[in-house]
Amino acid sequence: MATVAECSKELHVLAVDDSYVDRKLIERLLQISSCKVTAVESGTRALQYLGLDGEQSNVGFDALKVNLIITDYTMPGMTGYELLKKIKESSVFREVPVVIMSSEDVLTQIDSCLEEGAEEYIVKPVKLSDVKRLKDHIMRGEPQENGKSGLLKRKLIDDIQASSVPLSFSSSVACDLESSQLPSSLSSPNCAFKRPKLLSRD
C-alpha cells in the first residue's frame, strides 16, 4: 500500500523498495530533504500508482506530478531494471529521472541501468548527501522542458578496468540521521561504489 508524506516543497518522489526497513529509511531521508514522498513496496505497485499497469490509476492524473523515481534493483516479481524499462517506454513518464538503488556494485548491472536511461546508480545504504544532491539537480533542471531537462547524468567510463581505474569503497555509513534512528542492519560498515565524474547531457 502506498504511503504519502507531504512537506513544504513541491518536489515529489516515488520511492520503490520491497524491504520495509530500506523503504522507511529512504522515506525518512527524503522527508528531511523537504520532499513529498510516495513509498510503495513493489514495481507492480509503482506502475499501478503511475497508471502504467493498463488499468485506471487510483490517483487523479491532474494531481499526479512525480519529479523523481528512486527504486531498488532487486525485488521479487519485477526488478528495478524492469520497472526502469517500463517507465522509459512511457510517453508520459520517460523524462522523469529514475535512480536505481542496490546493495550490489556489479559493473555490468550498473552499466545496463545507465544505458537503459537511469539517472544514477547508488549503492546502498543511501545517504542524506545523495538525496540532497539529487534534489538539487532536479530543482535546477525543472525550469527547462521540451526534451532537455538540464540534469546532470552520471555515466560509467567505458574503459573502466579494475587494474587501471579501481573501485573505491567507504567503510562508513554516512547518513546525517543520528545512529539511534538507523536500523541495526545499517549500523555496521558498508561499502559504497565511487561514482564517476559528472557529465552533462547533450
Side-chain angles (χ1 to χ4, degrees):
M1 184 175 181
T3 60
V4 180
E6 294 191 41
C7 296
S8 58
K9 302 291 183 180
E10 291 297 323
L11 192 65
H12 183 194
V13 182
L14 176 61
V16 190
D17 202 315
D18 63 302
S19 166
Y20 177 81
V21 172
D22 289 349
R23 194 165 65 247
K24 284 300 179 182
L25 176 61
I26 188 65
E27 185 175 340
R28 177 61 177 153
L29 292 175
L30 288 164
Q31 288 174 355
I32 289 174
S33 299
S34 299
C35 295
K36 173 182 176 182
V37 188
T38 300
V40 297
E41 70 277 9
S42 68
T44 301
R45 288 289 296 143
L47 291 180
Q48 289 174 349
Y49 181 79
L50 296 172
L52 298 178
D53 61 338
E55 300 179 6
Q56 187 174 1
S57 174
N58 292 328
V59 180
F61 181 78
D62 290 338
L64 177 63
K65 182 181 180 183
V66 175
N67 307 100
L68 172 68
I69 299 168
I70 182 166
T71 177
D72 185 31
Y73 182 93
T74 305
M75 296 185 291
M78 177 181 291
T79 66
Y81 178 72
E82 292 169 332
L83 175 60
L84 168 67
K85 291 180 68 175
K86 290 283 188 182
I87 292 168
K88 294 306 175 181
E89 289 170 359
S90 166
S91 60
V92 177
F93 295 103
R94 64 188 174 195
E95 295 300 326
V96 176
V98 179
V99 173
I100 303 292
M101 306 177 290
S102 178
S103 57
E104 302 174 331
D105 60 343
V106 181
L107 288 179
T108 53
Q109 181 172 299
I110 297 169
D111 192 52
S112 294
C113 291
L114 294 177
E115 288 297 324
E116 197 60 43
E119 193 70 23
E120 186 172 336
Y121 186 105
I122 299 176
V123 176
K124 291 181 177 181
V126 179
K127 308 176 184 71
L128 184 58
S129 59
D130 293 323
V131 172
K132 286 183 175 179
R133 184 188 63 253
L134 289 169
K135 179 185 173 183
D136 288 344
H137 291 173
I138 293 168
M139 295 300 284
R140 284 200 299 268
E142 285 248 319
Q144 303 184 44
E145 298 178 353
N146 301 323
K148 290 190 178 181
S149 65
L151 296 173
L152 294 174
K153 182 165 185 170
R154 298 186 179 276
K155 296 289 290 180
L156 282 176
I157 300 172
D158 292 337
D159 60 350
I160 211 168
Q161 298 281 340
S163 58
S164 59
V165 186
L167 297 182
S168 174
F169 296 90
S170 171
S171 61
S172 63
V173 179
C175 174
D176 289 8
L177 295 174
E178 295 182 4
S179 59
S180 60
Q181 293 177 281
L182 287 173
S184 59
S185 61
L186 298 180
S187 60
S188 59
N190 207 337
C191 61
F193 179 70
K194 185 177 181 181
R195 300 177 189 84
K197 170 179 185 185
L198 287 173
L199 298 177
S200 297
R201 279 182 176 170
D202 293 332

